[in-house]
Amino acid sequence: ADFNYGADEYDAEGNEEPKALPEGSETMPYIDESPTMSPQLSARGQESGDGVSPTPTDGLGTGGERDAGKGLEMRKLVLSGFLASEEIYINQLEALLLPMKPLKATATTSQPVLTLQQIETIFYKIQDIYEIHKEFYDSLCPKVQQWDSNVTMGHLFQKLASQLGVYKAFVDNYKIALETAEKCSQSNYQFQKISEELKVKGPKDSKESHTSVTMEALLYKPIDRVTRSTLVLHDLLKHTPADHPDYPLLQDALRISQNFLSSINEDIDPRRTAVTTPKGETRQLVKDGFLVELSEGSRKLRHVFLFTDVLLCAKLKKTAVGKHQQYDCKWYVPLADLVFPSPEESEHCPQVHVIPDHELEDMKMKISAIKSEVQKEKANKGQSRAIERLKKKMFENEFWLLLNSPAIPFRIHNRNGKSYLFLLSSDYERSEWREAIQRLQKKDLQAFVLSSVELQVLTGSCFKLRTVHNIPVTSNKDDDESPGLYGFLHVIVHSAKGFKQSANLYCTLEVDSFGYFVSKAKTRVFRDTTEPQWNEEFEIELEGSQSLRILCYEKCYDKTKLNKDNNEIVDKIMGKGQIQLDPQAVQTKNWHMDVIEMNGIKVEFSMKFTSRDMSLKRTPSKKQTGVFGVKISVVTKRERSKVPYIVRQCIEEVEKRGIEEVGIYRISGVATDIQALKAVFDANNKDILVMLSDMDINAIAGTLKLYFRELPEPLLTDRLYPAFMEGIALSDPAAKENCMMHLLRSLPDPNLITFLFLLEHLKRVAEKEPINKMSLHNLATVFGPTLLRPSEGESKVHLTLASDIWSHDVMAQVQVLLYYLQHPPISFTELKRNTLYFSTDV
């Protein structure tokens, strides 16, 4: 039986396409919000000569002016519909009871199919429910067939409601009944055959004599029925005049039913819903979560629910305090009609407006700053009001980040026309959704249209069923939840095996920060192999991270598949897996080897974690011969150069072939390559230039960053660090300009000349921002801490949280470098000659 009160042609307002009516019947007049209209019933009524007039002109009207007579005629329609579905329900219960007698008979023989105990469990209370409804149906049927507007039947509904206790017992046993039936099916072939095809009698006047339904689907019917009876009571009340004798009785029956429903809702297995699929199987929730939808050009946060046969996109309604929260359905697509358009098919899709990285970085800084303020308030036993205010601000900022950072398109198309576009921040997540949908689509699914009531019930069930309750932002976490790791995760991706055939393979690494996952590193493509040996090391910055994900891809070189959309990933995911980053396990000085198994593929990797305060240490080199960890003045003097050779060579190479590389300086180079370059520069090897020209450009960029990071004191010096912090905090532009220029003049010459040389290079990189996606702000974020962070002896500040140190100081360090990057060109000679700047004691 379909989800309807009457027969199969049931339809209600809110459907996209009305279904065809039986031949010879005319359409019923439109009736506002009536969830129990059945065109078939009205047609049947006309044939017997006692129906309502089918012509829209003198139809039943809409709105409040409907008079009592019309209301009573509506009652008849509601009741006829309910009676037809009650007949179907009784037939279903009968079909369920049919095998019970023969099963009981064999239970006492030497070869029982089921034991008496099992029969009692599976068919618990079905006989009682059948008798209650049979009596109800037999009493109601003549009243509806010999219709009289004065007829009363409220007492029948009241009696039915008073017997709901039987349903309570059924619901309490339901889960065990289902499990027992499943176990018996697996262990007994005879019972499996019986339970797979139970024959349900069709309604008296339908063409179909029988339909086959599974036992599992039939056992769910009683749970379903209570909800439907409650909906019918709603409709009956709506169309019963308040002075009618039935009115108080129906009110009472509705109250009992509603109380009963809310009490059992708590008990029903939460992954079941009060709705069945067109085939009569239980519609179950398979997956749900928050996704960003691009709707009419703007980003909206949606809660998406994937059921057995339908994808439903909803948003949480705004409700008054204390009111029960509800979802509002934005759209749904039956899985039978759902297709994923390929990149080339989706050209007509709207272009995704991507928020510039620097705005996202700015917001992350703000959030980190608020986090430390919250910690400070808590440490100082601050007012809870102030903490709440900060938390609210943090939630708003994190929500903005959640909404604006995703950029990977996930398109869904309904065969009947409409396309939808979600934006995700992680390809892992996108493939999880896609795979879950494709798994369900392997089953034999039917297309359907939900009536407004069905949609209402399905959407109503979402609140109870959802598995993801909170928007994934850190401000939603409880205080005792792990804050995640802050610092640097070193990962070596060794190799992978388990591929069936040779392919061009690479891996990407994702970690979560600020509540969502982002891709942080990518290995090179290992061509034409079934056992790639990457052996590449990456340093990944963690910002409150709790998980590491590895995705394995096959590279696509087919030009026709490459989409114009920058963020489209057309490479095929071969496997994916994730592990929790356990602070205890990870925080050791040694490498920890691990394997992630995915889809028959095994990826081997090692990792170790350095907390932020450890990674911030500058350690002077013991030997004074190399360039890494040696004072810049020593190196330039030895080389007789103004700018260290390593800085000049790396910058030259980046400008030659890396200036248009997406994410240059932001994407990690392979650590083993960087270490190799470091060794060559330290040894002043004559093969440096050959090696540079062959090396991956991200490794060269990484070597330059490492050089500045390993200086025994920062390029902008320990001595001047406090003054830089004060200067950047000045609000008067003239005073700030004066102070910041004076500070540059105060730097030793090798430091100043090298800094200005690097500054001009970074500006040239930022000029290519449309191609390389590296803005001045991005570059300041990457280089600020590297050039300014004081060495160990100078940073005597002992803050409890690594994230505290990070947010305050790093924000200021980024701002200092950004100030100079945004400043008109600064020349060394001008700076030294210029006496306009007043000298201030530093």
Side-chain angles (χ1 to χ4, degrees):
D2 284 355
F3 178 102
N4 56 19
Y5 304 118
D8 292 344
E9 286 79 19
Y10 168 83
D11 192 41
E13 53 96 13
N15 278 0
E16 283 95 335
E17 300 165 32
K19 299 179 191 172
L21 297 174
E23 261 182 73
S25 73
E26 297 173 51
T27 38
M28 274 296 296
Y30 171 79
I31 293 155
D32 182 36
E33 287 188 326
S34 165
T36 47
M37 281 298 307
S38 170
Q40 187 194 40
L41 287 162
S42 62
R44 202 184 297 155
Q46 288 153 27
E47 283 151 21
S48 58
D50 61 354
V52 296
S53 157
T55 50
T57 46
D58 72 9
L60 300 169
T62 60
E65 80 274 84
R66 212 180 280 135
D67 62 15
K70 299 275 168 67
L72 290 168
E73 285 173 333
M74 273 302 305
R75 285 177 84 219
K76 183 189 174 187
L77 286 169
V78 171
L79 284 167
S80 313
F82 185 54
L83 206 56
S85 76
E86 190 70 4
E87 184 193 342
I88 291 169
Y89 179 49
I90 289 166
N91 290 347
Q92 289 166 341
L93 293 172
E94 247 173 16
L96 204 48
L97 289 170
L98 203 63
M100 191 170 84
K101 285 177 188 146
L103 283 170
K104 272 188 175 168
T106 66
T108 49
T109 65
S110 57
Q111 287 183 306
V113 179
L114 300 182
T115 65
L116 280 170
Q117 177 64 52
Q118 288 168 331
I119 296 166
E120 179 58 34
T121 305
I122 295 170
F123 298 98
Y124 186 66
K125 295 290 176 194
I126 302 286
Q127 186 69 45
D128 297 358
I129 292 173
Y130 171 75
E131 283 164 11
I132 289 168
H133 280 270
K134 186 84 176 83
E135 184 193 340
F136 171 78
Y137 178 83
D138 291 344
S139 312
L140 184 62
C141 198
K143 287 181 181 287
V144 176
Q145 280 169 349
Q146 286 106 48
W147 182 253
D148 171 358
S149 56
N150 297 323
V151 74
T152 59
M153 38 56 203
H155 58 288
L156 297 179
F157 279 94
Q158 200 180 25
K159 185 177 178 187
L160 187 65
S162 70
Q163 293 168 310
L164 282 171
V166 178
Y167 275 92
K168 175 80 177 114
F170 174 84
V171 168
D172 290 343
N173 180 69
Y174 171 69
K175 211 170 168 185
I176 304 159
L178 216 55
E179 283 165 10
T180 309
E182 208 168 309
K183 276 185 195 145
C184 294
S185 279
Q186 285 164 0
S187 58
N188 189 303
Y189 181 68
Q190 258 179 300
F191 182 67
Q192 188 187 347
K193 290 303 284 175
I194 295 169
S195 62
E196 271 176 2
E197 282 200 17
L198 291 169
K199 296 275 184 275
V200 178
K201 250 189 342 208
K204 287 189 207 67
D205 47 2
S206 85
K207 294 186 185 77
E208 283 184 41
S209 58
H210 283 87
T211 51
S212 291
V213 187
T214 65
M215 184 173 284
E216 185 191 353
L218 288 180
L219 280 172
Y220 190 66
K221 295 296 174 191
I223 289 179
D224 219 354
R225 194 68 199 163
V226 187
T227 312
R228 298 189 190 183
S229 310
T230 310
L231 286 170
V232 165
L233 282 166
H234 259 296
D235 294 332
L236 272 177
L237 262 175
K238 195 165 29 173
H239 301 295
T240 301
D243 56 359
H244 193 285
D246 270 349
Y247 196 82
L249 301 175
L250 291 172
Q251 257 185 330
D252 192 41
L254 180 62
R255 182 185 52 77
I256 297 169
S257 301
Q258 280 177 328
N259 289 344
F260 174 73
L261 258 188
S262 55
S263 74
I264 66 162
N265 269 343
E266 305 301 321
D267 308 336
I268 297 177
D269 175 359
R271 285 182 88 88
R272 302 202 159 268
T273 87
V275 188
T276 47
T277 67
K279 295 172 107 180
E281 289 156 4
T282 310
R283 183 173 280 149
Q284 295 188 333
L285 178 66
V286 178
K287 180 177 172 62
D288 68 304
F290 288 96
L291 295 182
V292 173
E293 186 190 7
L294 197 65
S295 167
E296 293 167 1
S298 63
R299 292 166 177 255
K300 310 276 188 204
L301 191 67
R302 305 289 193 217
H303 199 149
V304 181
F305 294 86
L306 174 61
F307 289 94
T308 325
D309 63 340
V310 64
L311 184 77
L312 186 140
C313 176
K315 71 170 229 191
L316 208 48
K317 283 189 196 170
K318 286 197 171 78
T319 46
V321 183
K323 280 270 169 50
H324 192 59
Q325 280 191 302
Q326 280 295 319
Y327 281 100
D328 192 10
C329 173
K330 301 309 289 180
W331 51 265
Y332 69 89
V333 180
L335 298 190
D337 294 330
L338 188 151
V339 282
F340 299 112
S342 62
E344 59 271 23
E345 288 168 346
S346 53
E347 282 178 21
H348 61 279
C349 278
Q351 274 299 304
V352 180
H353 169 60
V354 179
I355 305 287
D357 276 354
H358 69 85
E359 287 186 30
L360 299 172
E361 291 302 327
D362 264 353
M363 188 53 86
K364 287 180 185 177
M365 293 285 192
K366 275 186 197 162
I367 293 165
S368 297
I370 298 172
K371 272 185 189 166
S372 1
E373 281 183 56
V374 171
Q375 296 299 337
K376 267 196 202 133
E377 283 286 341
K378 282 182 179 165
N380 302 337
K381 303 275 187 290
Q383 291 182 345
S384 58
R385 232 171 50 270
I387 293 174
E388 279 315 305
R389 213 172 32 250
L390 286 167
K391 280 192 166 175
K392 182 171 182 263
K393 186 79 191 135
M394 184 155 92
F395 176 81
E396 286 165 8
N397 289 347
E398 288 195 308
F399 186 81
W400 182 91
L401 198 58
L402 189 73
L403 206 56
N404 290 293
S405 55
I408 299 172
F410 176 41
R411 297 188 171 82
I412 278 164
H413 182 67
N414 186 337
R415 262 185 248 273
N416 304 327
K418 193 121 201 279
S419 285
Y420 304 96
L421 172 60
F422 291 112
L423 297 174
L424 282 70
S425 58
S426 136
D427 199 25
Y428 191 101
E429 200 181 337
R430 177 170 75 160
S431 76
E432 277 189 322
W433 278 100
R434 191 177 279 158
E435 284 164 19
I437 291 169
Q438 284 167 339
R439 257 198 308 279
L440 294 168
Q441 286 180 326
K442 285 193 179 122
K443 295 176 184 159
D444 177 25
L445 296 169
Q446 288 182 5
F448 56 86
V449 175
L450 293 174
S451 70
S452 61
V453 176
E454 291 174 284
L455 193 54
Q456 208 177 339
V457 174
L458 186 58
T459 311
S461 71
C462 288
F463 189 81
K464 273 268 185 262
L465 303 185
R466 61 193 183 154
T467 59
V468 182
H469 294 270
N470 290 328
I471 294 169
V473 292
T474 48
S475 33
N476 273 337
K477 280 188 185 172
D478 296 332
D479 291 343
D480 53 359
E481 275 187 75
S482 159
L485 294 168
Y486 286 85
F488 295 91
L489 185 70
H490 300 263
V491 181
I492 301 175
V493 182
H494 297 294
S495 59
K497 48 178 176 286
F499 297 97
K500 303 279 188 291
Q501 56 208 55
S502 288
N504 304 315
L505 304 162
Y506 70 92
C507 284
T508 63
L509 307 179
E510 290 184 356
V511 294
D512 54 318
S513 65
F514 297 92
Y516 58 89
F517 278 85
V518 268
S519 186
K520 287 283 195 174
K522 178 178 174 179
T523 67
R524 64 184 186 279
V525 178
F526 212 102
R527 300 191 90 149
D528 200 19
T529 180
T530 54
E531 292 201 1
Q533 301 282 329
W534 294 289
N535 293 316
E536 291 184 59
E537 185 185 330
F538 301 95
E539 180 184 84
I540 294 171
E541 190 171 0
L542 303 183
E543 298 165 298
S545 311
Q546 294 178 324
S547 305
L548 167 72
R549 290 171 167 178
I550 296 187
L551 293 96
C552 194
Y553 290 89
E554 179 181 355
K555 181 77 183 158
C556 163
Y557 289 110
D558 180 352
K559 286 280 185 290
T560 59
K561 288 196 180 148
L562 297 175
N563 193 11
K564 297 180 179 64
D565 202 331
N566 290 341
N567 293 292
E568 190 69 70
I569 298 166
V570 292
D571 299 338
K572 181 180 169 199
I573 294 181
M574 305 297 283
K576 61 184 192 319
Q578 74 173 358
I579 53 157
Q580 291 303 108
L581 296 174
D582 174 15
Q584 270 60 49
V586 183
Q587 288 189 354
T588 57
K589 291 208 169 69
N590 305 327
W591 287 95
H592 164 68
M593 181 107 169
D594 213 333
V595 173
I596 284 187
E597 292 203 35
M598 40 171 102
N599 215 4
I601 300 162
K602 288 182 178 177
V603 175
E604 282 194 1
F605 65 100
S606 301
M607 59 181 178
K608 69 176 180 183
F609 172 72
T610 320
S611 65
R612 203 183 284 276
D613 35 0
M614 288 302 292
S615 65
L616 296 182
K617 284 184 181 168
R618 292 180 182 271
T619 41
S621 170
K622 299 280 185 290
K623 56 183 191 350
Q624 286 299 306
T625 51
V627 290
F628 281 82
V630 179
K631 281 186 177 174
I632 195 164
S633 54
V634 173
V635 173
T636 49
K637 198 170 175 186
R638 187 199 312 141
E639 292 178 355
R640 296 197 182 89
S641 62
K642 289 184 173 169
V643 174
Y645 179 68
I646 181 173
V647 177
R648 283 178 289 140
Q649 284 313 126
C650 290
I651 284 178
E652 189 180 314
E653 203 60 40
V654 169
E655 293 202 355
K656 200 187 294 173
R657 58 192 178 92
I659 202 147
E660 294 191 347
E661 180 81 11
V662 174
I664 187 74
Y665 290 120
R666 186 171 56 83
I667 303 263
S668 311
V670 177
T672 38
D673 291 349
I674 294 172
Q675 289 307 317
L677 279 172
K678 177 182 174 180
V680 175
F681 275 112
D682 266 345
N684 194 13
N685 192 311
K686 58 181 185 302
D687 297 332
I688 290 178
L689 293 176
V690 178
M691 198 165 168
L692 276 176
S693 59
D694 286 346
M695 194 60 85
D696 172 56
I697 200 66
N698 287 320
I700 295 169
T703 306
L704 181 65
K705 287 192 294 183
L706 184 69
Y707 168 72
F708 286 119
R709 198 158 78 216
E710 289 198 354
L711 282 174
E713 81 158 350
L715 187 65
L716 299 187
T717 73
D718 285 330
R719 184 177 68 86
L720 294 177
Y721 182 73
F724 274 114
M725 293 298 101
E726 284 169 22
I728 198 66
L730 293 171
S731 38
D732 175 46
K736 185 185 276 193
E737 163 82 0
N738 198 2
C739 176
M740 298 301 274
M741 289 305 132
H742 172 70
L743 286 171
L744 283 189
R745 261 208 316 286
S746 312
L747 285 169
D749 281 4
N751 298 54
L752 175 57
I753 295 169
T754 303
F755 178 64
L756 294 178
F757 187 75
L758 177 67
L759 209 56
E760 290 313 305
H761 164 63
L762 295 179
K763 286 181 181 180
R764 285 192 290 275
V765 171
E767 281 169 10
K768 299 282 186 189
E769 185 193 351
I771 305 164
N772 64 28
K773 303 281 186 278
M774 291 302 287
S775 60
L776 289 174
H777 193 291
N778 282 355
L779 292 162
T781 306
V782 171
F783 276 97
T786 304
L787 302 178
L788 277 133
R789 192 189 61 246
S791 51
E792 190 61 18
E794 294 302 313
S795 51
K796 297 191 182 71
V797 200
H798 290 297
L799 287 162
T800 47
L801 268 183
S803 54
D804 278 5
I805 294 187
W806 146 242
S807 58
H808 277 294
D809 288 8
V810 170
M811 277 175 85
Q813 291 158 12
V814 169
Q815 290 306 319
V816 168
L817 181 53
L818 189 58
Y819 181 84
Y820 292 122
L821 282 170
Q822 290 172 338
H823 195 281
I826 306 163
S827 105
F828 176 76
T829 44
E830 280 291 305
L831 201 58
K832 287 291 185 185
R833 199 176 56 226
N834 201 334
T835 50
L836 280 174
Y837 305 111
F838 302 106
S839 181
T840 47
D841 282 336
V842 177

